[in-house]
Amino acid sequence: MGSILQIMEPKSPSMTEPVRSLLSLPASCQVALRRFLLPFLILIISFPDTFSQRYFQQEVNYNIEVSLDDERHMLIAYETIWYINNSPDSLRILYFHLWPNAYSNNNTPLARQLFQLQGKQKLFNDPQLRGYIDSLDFKINAQPVQWELLPDKPDICKIILNQPLFTGDSILITTPFRVKIPKGVTSRLGHVGQSYQITQWFPKPAVYDETGWHPISYLDQGEFYSEYGRFDVSITLPANYVVGATGELQTPGEQKWLEQLATRTVCKDETIYDEDDFPASSEQTKKLRFTAGNAHDFAWFADKRFHVRKGEVKLPHSGREVTTRVMFTGVQAKLWENALSYVNDAICRFSEWIGDYPYQSYTAVQSALSAGAGMEYPGITVVGIQDDAYSLEEVLAHEIAHNWFYAALGSNERRFPFMDEGLTSAYTARYMDERHPNKKLWEVYVKNRKLAKLLNIEKMPVQRIGELQWLMQARDNLEQPLDLPATCYTDLNYGVMLYDKAAIGFNYLRAYLGDSLFDASIQNYYHQWKFRHPQPKDLRNAFESHTEKELTWFFNGLLSTTKQLDYKMVRLKGQHLLVKNKGELPAPLVLQGVGRDSLHFEKWVDGFEGERWVEIPGGDYSEIVIDPNHITPELYRLNNNIRKSGAFPKANPVVPNFLFSVEDPGKHTINYIPAINWTRENKFMIGVALHNGFLLPKAFEYFAMPFYAFGNNHLAGYGKIYYNITPYDKFIRKATISLEGKQFGAPGNQNYQKAEAGLELFFRNRNINSPFTQMVFGNYITASNLSQIVSGQKAEYSSFIQMGYRLQKAGMVNPLKLVASYESGSSFKKTALDLNYKLSYYGTAGLEFRLYAGVMLKKDPEVPFYALSASGRSGREHYLYRGTYPDRFAIFPNTFWSRQMTLSEGGLVTPVNNRMGYSNHLISLSLTSSLPEKAGWIPVKPFINILLNDHGLSEGPDSPFFFEGGLKTGLWNLFEVYVPLVVSRNIQTINGSFKDRIRFIFSLDLFNPVKLKSR
Ligand SMILES: [Zn+2]
């Protein structure tokens, strides 16, 4: 997706340009311009500030009369807009948002985004999911005007004004409109039964600011940018609906009724909360009027089942009283019992920190929401179903904080989402941290203490969740800068960067500046930009003018690059500590002297590159630690501590841990899992699986499984170590070097062995949002000669080289993988192309294609299985010893395990290799499909394999054309049984018996914790 569309109006000459360019103008022009220039210069002198910023903002005042038809789920409305042009430009057109049209067909920007992110294809073919706005008839100052929808963007229209709208002038725009409300499962606007979420619903002018027009299509990932003004909205609907809306309720009868409901809710018996059906709508209707000032949006929520609670907050600075309400249904009544106090406390605390809450009232409503945990609108919030009280409080705090950074500070959220979500998330974290300083992560995210213990996270504070999520992306070098437009983020990074990392970043800045300086800066920003459109530079100015600190590291480093932070202890000499910045970001670091359970000093040091000696205070501490409280986004923490004494002051203890662990700074954890195993030659084995953690990628990773085998009294097992290099901003995103070893028993009372060295280079995507990724790989393998083993000889070693290129398109919809490879041994050489493609039906269901073409560049006449194999290789044919084969050397079909195979070159399933399978050339096509429609969940997939090779060119049984079709079933990628039902005649002559065509794959790769992670 491209960046934000900015359509520039032909503007009147810019105010700065005439001054600069006047000297170069021809004389006649100078005379003509002099008339303008003189008053202009006076203007510059008298308003230097206004002039240098050129800041202006349009004013848009709304009057909307709307009625709800709750049988047809329609809104019938009439809108009057008073638009005031405060810009220095004459406007000839206006852009209007018609956002309900985002749901109108499968080619809207919303539909295209949902298709890309969630694979939701042909979404709006379902009439229930479809929504639209129609019956529009725009008039300006009562005169009809020409208007048109933008091509491919039916949710934006352009109105061509009959006369230009001059600077300082205003117009009255009117239109009737009708909205079909979609079923509320797609995005923010919708209804669930007769529960209504009326958001992004009315025709609304796009923002016109100093950079021009900002018409933006409605999207799920990506928020909004709107003009400020007054709203006067009258809602007519059946009398028994409870309505929560932006602004102040101006209808006395309704105020009274809400009071009554609120008292009733407080006294109400619990049982009443159980009833959850919709009561019939009243015959009578009522008309409710809401007004709001200094607002840039208006949302309302209506439900006949809402319970209401009402309270009041006195704001700390002005003493002004704010009315607060919560509205919720019986489904979550128990949870919402304390919601009002969460709301009141959060409004109070945020007001203290940032400045008083901007409006007169605040309402939180609970609803079945389809756009995240909650969604913010001015003075009102909608919150979806929550799991527990902590989560509810957190979501409420987050949405309330939006009243400052979204509602009052009207930044362009689509272009700079961090200005809203980032600051909001930072304040949410600060608030929750203050409210629940001792909450543990497992209590909220794991919920089971025993499991938390097993995972070694019992003591981890809940605040660590954001850091963990961020580290997963950061360590894999998949971060994106924080100042990008919303549409430029991957689905995952939209959350990880804008919420998690931005929150860490702003709270890091706060820790560095200290609360009072940080709060003063933000208060300065809030008061200066309240009800206006601040830009990132205005946020920066607010900090820099207030703190006199050099904050380039934050605004030009942490915010706008993916430079990483990794400080490392080098040496300690008395009171001098040598610290090295292994990362690229010269950001401040915090040092602490830690003794037995007590803190001796804390010192902030301004950021630097390379190494630096730091003076540290003396004292009775035993260890110095960089950022022990996880304030800074440190990439690796195992190098963050140094002890005052001892032979190895930087060494961390090695601690064994059962099962799994999430990284624990300050110690090397070796995780162990007792394991048993069996192969035909080794018999019963006992051993242990060892690894250094899961979840978080690490520079150095290992997985080893040594066994003692009772059958041959030998050692057996498997091990692999990885070293990952993730350079900053380079052509290569990640380089992985690996070493692998394997030994298991083989016939003839010997062991087979294999050692493999690998290199994988993952390229950086220039456009990270592109689903395509590229990598190259190379492997050097030395392994026991399999043909010697199967012919009963003592095996020597053979060596192989592999290299290749992989192009992959990941994602839910139509994923694709293309691998070009080359392999050689001492006696053969081969090359191949392997294309896998899935045509998605819906969700994960689809038709899988595999196209394979291979050529032997050199063939070994002695060892057939080095050539291209037509069908899946059994263990006896797998000269590289890939996979886990309990009975690797079994002869088909003597034992159960002899039916095990690995899908290989040709993709056939029926075992034909020995008789006519190996070839010099091979081309094949495999098709596998999920069962259609609702049967898609049944774990059976039909398949068809077609293959042509050069083995025998005669007609009849030796035909080079192979065909098989059948069914496969099982646990995908772990254990899959293939049953070929129909086969071509040549296969039939070799494998006449249907039973002898059934084979299976069994892969334990799934359980390798290192491989579990996305790569
Ligand atoms: Zn938010």
Side-chain angles (χ1 to χ4, degrees), residues 223 376 398-399 402 420-421 424-425 499:
E223 295 186 333
E376 66 278 8
H398 180 94
E399 304 309 333
H402 272 303
D420 170 31
E421 289 305 344
T424 296
S425 301
Y499 293 70

Side-chain angles (χ1 to χ4, degrees), residues 42-55:
I42 293 166
L43 199 81
I44 296 170
I45 294 156
S46 44
F47 303 102
D49 240 33
T50 333
F51 175 73
S52 64
Q53 290 189 351
R54 282 191 81 250
Y55 183 84

Side-chain angles (χ1 to χ4, degrees), residues 9 116 288 307 432 665 755 768 774 837 848 865:
E9 256 293 79
Q116 192 201 331
L288 310 177
H307 304 297
M432 292 305 282
I768 194 171
Q774 300 178 78
Y837 174 73
E848 292 160 45
F865 58 57

Side-chain angles (χ1 to χ4, degrees), residues 32 124 178 212 294 344 352 399 409 455 466 654 827 941 1013:
F124 300 126
R178 206 171 66 139
N294 288 317
N344 293 349
E352 282 169 23
E399 304 309 333
L409 295 158
L455 296 173
V654 176
S827 57
K941 292 181 182 179
K1013 293 181 303 251

Side-chain angles (χ1 to χ4, degrees), residues 573-617:
K573 268 192 191 163
Q575 306 306 114
H576 303 281
L577 174 69
L578 185 61
V579 184
K580 181 181 178 178
N581 186 353
K582 287 182 74 188
E584 304 80 28
L585 187 66
L589 78 150
V590 57
L591 294 165
Q592 284 193 1
V594 189
R596 195 167 270 282
D597 299 327
S598 63
L599 172 67
H600 289 254
F601 74 85
E602 181 179 279
K603 179 178 174 146
W604 279 92
V605 180
D606 280 341
F608 55 84
E609 285 171 271
E611 292 188 340
R612 178 164 297 182
W613 285 100
V614 177
E615 294 281 316
I616 47 157

Side-chain angles (χ1 to χ4, degrees), residues 759-761 775-779 802-806 819-821:
L759 173 68
E760 291 174 310
L761 301 176
M775 62 94 81
V776 292
F777 60 90
N779 299 313
Q802 291 180 322
M803 53 188 111
Y805 161 85
R806 188 186 79 192
V819 180
S821 63

Side-chain angles (χ1 to χ4, degrees), residues 255 849 1010:
Q255 282 171 348
F849 290 81
V1010 179

